[in-house]
Amino acid sequence: MKDVKLGKYLTLESFCTCTQTYQKYATQINPYPDSQISIVAIQALNQWIIDPIIDHFGLEQFQLTYGFCSKDLKRFLEKKDPITGLKNGRVAPNLDQHIAHEVKKNGRYYCERLGAACDCQIKDLDSGELVDWIIAQKLPFDSLYFYGQNRPIHLSYGPQNKGDIWTFNAAGLPTKKGTERWKKEGR
């Protein structure tokens, strides 16, 4: 399964094992989707969003920091590090599409919005410039989260194809404030 090609560049293994939390707890986490439909959604994200970015900026410059969130990874992201006491990561599986089309025990999707998501950046490029390029190319993203100039951005691709852009305030809450420059050029 790990050798499954997602697009021109990435494999399922690279997409599912890129997080720091996975690296830290790799022996305890199954990072892969249970659902073939999740893999298809991740392939669509690669085809329509990631491949064009890598085509333009180059594979050597592309950094994937968060790809698929398996049920195991979700559990570890919600836990606190025993040494630091800090949560291993922020996770919002009901909103952020990182968990793709995975299904809970009750048969419902973790994220009703469906699709797939990743967080990525381009080495030595201001993330605002990456967003400018994505908007100019009219890439068909569902949601884009801009966390700051020197931080990865979140991109999702899904059936809603909303083209929503969000930034985050000092408290870490989503806001539309600061997205005005992209809305003027956007879709």
Side-chain angles (χ1 to χ4, degrees):
M1 176 189 282
K2 64 184 181 178
D3 294 331
V4 170
K5 287 287 276 184
L6 299 175
K8 295 183 201 176
Y9 305 100
L10 303 182
T11 63
L12 189 61
E13 179 178 28
S14 64
F15 196 82
C16 294
T17 63
C18 62
T19 65
Q20 291 176 350
T21 302
Y22 173 78
Q23 298 300 318
K24 188 173 184 177
Y25 301 104
T27 60
Q28 301 171 60
I29 295 174
N30 172 1
Y32 299 106
D34 290 336
S35 163
Q36 182 62 35
I37 298 169
S38 287
I39 296 172
V40 170
I42 296 166
Q43 287 172 320
L45 170 69
N46 275 261
Q47 177 187 354
W48 294 103
I49 306 294
I50 297 173
D51 284 353
I53 291 171
I54 296 173
D55 284 345
H56 182 77
F57 293 101
L59 183 58
E60 311 76 37
Q61 294 301 106
F62 180 80
Q63 291 181 314
L64 182 68
T65 60
Y66 185 18
F68 176 72
C69 181
S70 70
K71 295 171 198 172
D72 281 356
L73 179 60
K74 175 186 168 301
R75 197 166 23 90
F76 276 86
L77 286 168
E78 292 169 339
K79 290 182 179 181
K80 290 185 179 181
D81 181 284
I83 297 169
T84 66
L86 301 173
K87 278 183 73 175
N88 287 315
R90 292 177 52 176
V91 61
N94 61 320
L95 300 173
D96 67 16
Q97 297 164 290
H98 282 282
I99 204 160
H101 292 237
E102 296 300 286
V103 177
K104 300 177 196 177
K105 289 179 183 175
N106 66 8
R108 297 184 60 100
Y109 291 111
Y110 282 92
C111 181
E112 295 291 332
R113 291 185 45 223
L114 303 178
C118 72
D119 291 8
C120 63
Q121 63 187 18
I122 302 299
K123 293 178 194 170
D124 303 320
L125 182 72
D126 177 299
S127 290
E129 292 178 41
L130 176 56
V131 174
D132 291 342
W133 184 86
I134 289 167
I135 299 299
Q137 299 304 306
K138 297 184 179 0
L139 295 187
F141 62 87
D142 187 28
S143 292
L144 186 155
Y145 305 162
F146 178 76
Y147 297 110
Q149 302 298 336
N150 299 311
R151 298 195 53 209
I153 62 170
H154 166 96
L155 288 164
S156 69
Y157 179 83
Q160 293 179 341
N161 191 21
K162 295 183 304 191
D164 270 353
I165 302 174
W166 297 90
T167 61
F168 291 80
N169 65 22
L173 299 173
T175 179
K176 292 289 187 174
K177 187 174 182 179
T179 65
E180 298 82 7
R181 90 181 209 210
W182 295 308
K183 285 299 180 188
K184 289 177 188 169
E185 303 167 27
R187 307 172 325 160

